[in-house]
Amino acid sequence: MNIFVKLFFFLILNLAINTKILTANELDNVGACAGVVIGNASVDFSLGDQKGFDDGIKLGITAYVSQVFVNNYSKNDIAIADKILASNTDKIINAANTQTFDETIFEEVIKCYRMLSILVMKNADTIKINSKKINNIINQRNKLLRRMLSAG
């Protein structure tokens, strides 16, 4: 009987650990796509498309932040996802700056717009509840990115 109790607790612990890893991977994926969309919005900004820039920033940040609000992620998980977001933003901007923005990158951008749009619909209630916080983050990031993209 003792072995069954140990096995049961082992299975519960294993399930808890694997669930935590899966949810962290989900945030990483959302961060990756948010970075792609924000990077594409930054390219729109450099091409003079202010509305495309604003819309891309709003979608990327709303989807990402809503996912953070939906689940109880650790600070470490959020920090890693933030780095993934920033890395993918840079990847898209770099592709545009080096004329390597090809059909593969374009397909990735489209895939991410679709994924984030679905996520926004899924997290609509969370977005409504936290709309003031999310809008403040969007406005802050929008101003920061505009300043960075306008420099030099």
Side-chain angles (χ1 to χ4, degrees), residues 8-126:
F8 177 74
F9 283 118
F10 175 75
L11 290 174
I12 296 295
L13 178 64
N14 194 16
L15 180 63
I17 290 170
N18 285 332
T19 301
K20 179 89 171 138
I21 290 170
L22 288 176
T23 58
N25 286 341
E26 186 177 1
L27 182 62
D28 293 349
N29 291 336
V30 173
C33 268
V36 167
V37 168
I38 292 168
N40 190 68
S42 299
V43 173
D44 289 342
F45 180 85
S46 69
L47 297 173
D49 183 359
Q50 303 298 313
K51 176 98 171 90
F53 174 76
D54 291 339
D55 291 344
I57 298 300
K58 186 172 185 177
L59 176 62
I61 297 295
T62 299
Y64 179 70
V65 172
S66 73
Q67 187 64 27
V68 170
F69 287 151
V70 164
N71 291 307
N72 191 18
Y73 295 104
S74 71
K75 288 182 180 185
N76 187 50
D77 288 341
I78 294 169
I80 291 169
D82 285 349
K83 288 178 184 177
I84 293 168
L85 186 153
S87 175
N88 276 8
T89 300
D90 291 344
K91 176 180 84 172
I92 300 300
I93 293 169
N94 187 48
N97 288 339
T98 60
Q99 278 73 47
T100 58
F101 194 110
D102 59 7
E103 50 281 340
T104 304
I105 299 281
F106 182 72
E107 287 175 9
E108 182 179 5
V109 170
I110 297 302
K111 178 191 87 160
C112 284
Y113 268 101
R114 287 179 182 155
M115 181 237 208
L116 295 183
S117 297
I118 291 168
L119 186 65
V120 165
M121 289 187 289
K122 178 182 160 194
N123 293 344
D125 291 336
T126 300

Side-chain angles (χ1 to χ4, degrees), residues 126-141:
T126 300
I127 293 167
K128 286 178 191 174
I129 292 167
N130 296 289
S131 63
K132 286 185 180 180
K133 290 179 189 175
I134 292 171
N135 285 331
N136 286 339
I137 295 168
I138 290 168
N139 291 333
Q140 179 188 45
R141 297 296 176 197

